[in-house]
Amino acid sequence: AQSVTQPDIHITVSEGASLELRCNYSYGATPYLFWYVQSPGQGLQLLLKYFSGDTLVQGIKGFEAEFKRSQSSFNLRKPSVHWSDAAEYFCAVAPGYNAGNMLTFGGGTRLMVKP
Amino acid sequence: DTEVTQTPKHLVMGMTNKKSLKCEQHMGHRAMYWYKQKAKKPPELMFVYSYEKLSINESVPSRFSPECPNSSLLNLHLHALQPEDSALYLCASSQEAQSSGANVLTFGAGSRLTVL
């Protein structure tokens, strides 16, 4: 079975600073990888996804993520954080053959942004 | 329309009440999902409907009863809940439950349930 680890429970960055949120996965083959963002009391919004091809994927709101097979990682990055980026971020993995109903989430990373 | 709409946004109920959560999507998606999310935790899958048929039940207690009246609607009927069932209940949909590739989940904003 697949699993996802987000090592950082909380991260605080200053507005305008760069951001990197870590995600490590465990899966026997090439997984499908996702990053979702959740604002307080809200549902989850898809930031970006990786299925195949270019290992650097661009998403919405200026986010990008890089798939590194050798490190089993899919870290999320943003060059300059805005106060509105404060939220909970979830990395998720699904097996390629059945992406929808086998989605496994990491524990989440809460991002706080200092003015 | 690229949204999943959930009602009500907030629900408070007693342990003897019967209530329902509703979810609607008009994206033509044929798979719909219920997730439960406790505070500061990731979402946990409860049920999956594929083409209006229940395809996955993740060992959810019978006090939660899902229903899919048609391809656009998904309900979650609640009866005799416990205080520990208090959580954010998220509905999601995707093009199909069994396909790969572009099968991305679109989530609703959730229904915040409090059981007294």
Side-chain angles (χ1 to χ4, degrees):
Chain A
Q2 68 267 25
S3 66
V4 183
T5 302
Q6 294 179 246
D8 304 304
I9 297 175
H10 294 101
I11 282 186
T12 300
V13 299
S14 297
E15 191 168 15
S18 63
L19 171 70
E20 182 170 29
L21 302 183
R22 296 184 291 164
C23 172
N24 294 99
Y25 69 90
S26 174
Y27 182 61
T30 300
Y32 288 5
L33 296 160
F34 308 82
W35 274 100
Y36 283 89
V37 61
Q38 185 177 34
S39 297
Q42 298 297 310
L44 278 74
Q45 181 182 24
L46 180 70
L47 286 175
L48 45 79
K49 61 186 183 290
Y50 172 77
F51 288 161
S52 64
D54 193 346
T55 57
L56 183 64
V57 293
Q58 302 297 319
I60 62 172
K61 305 185 179 186
F63 285 93
E64 66 177 27
E66 186 171 12
F67 171 59
K68 292 185 177 180
R69 184 190 305 274
S70 62
Q71 298 176 19
S72 298
S73 69
F74 188 57
N75 293 349
L76 182 71
R77 300 193 294 252
K78 187 170 184 177
S80 177
V81 170
H82 188 263
W83 64 266
S84 60
D85 293 325
E88 187 89 20
Y89 290 80
F90 291 99
C91 181
V93 63
Y97 64 89
N98 207 356
N101 56 15
M102 297 291 286
L103 198 62
T104 299
F105 288 94
T109 297
R110 178 161 296 279
L111 173 65
M112 290 171 280
V113 181
K114 294 189 299 185
Chain B
D1 189 351
T2 58
E3 288 187 346
V4 175
T5 304
Q6 290 188 244
T7 56
K9 292 191 185 305
H10 300 276
L11 177 63
V12 179
M13 59 187 291
M15 290 190 283
T16 58
N17 292 157
K18 286 185 181 180
K19 298 286 185 181
S20 296
L21 306 180
K22 297 184 184 303
C23 175
E24 188 169 6
Q25 57 87 14
H26 295 288
M27 295 178 280
H29 288 174
R30 303 314 303 267
M32 296 187 76
Y33 310 76
W34 280 114
Y35 281 83
K36 174 182 178 180
Q37 187 180 23
K38 301 284 280 184
K40 303 186 190 303
K41 296 291 186 184
E44 297 177 344
L45 183 65
M46 300 175 72
F47 302 105
V48 180
Y49 272 84
S50 178
Y51 290 88
E52 300 154 53
K53 292 190 186 328
L54 183 65
S55 63
I56 289 185
N57 176 341
E58 291 286 351
S59 303
V60 179
S62 59
R63 57 185 184 269
F64 295 92
S65 175
E67 177 197 21
C68 191
N70 60 56
S71 60
S72 299
L73 294 174
L74 184 66
N75 298 322
L76 186 63
H77 302 300
L78 315 170
H79 174 54
L81 295 193
Q82 304 296 312
E84 59 264 30
D85 296 322
S86 298
L88 181 68
Y89 288 84
L90 294 165
C91 175
S93 69
S94 66
Q95 288 182 333
E96 292 187 43
Q98 297 299 324
S99 68
S100 61
N103 194 27
V104 176
L105 269 64
T106 300
F107 283 86
S111 292
R112 173 79 56 192
L113 173 67
T114 302
V115 182
L116 301 178

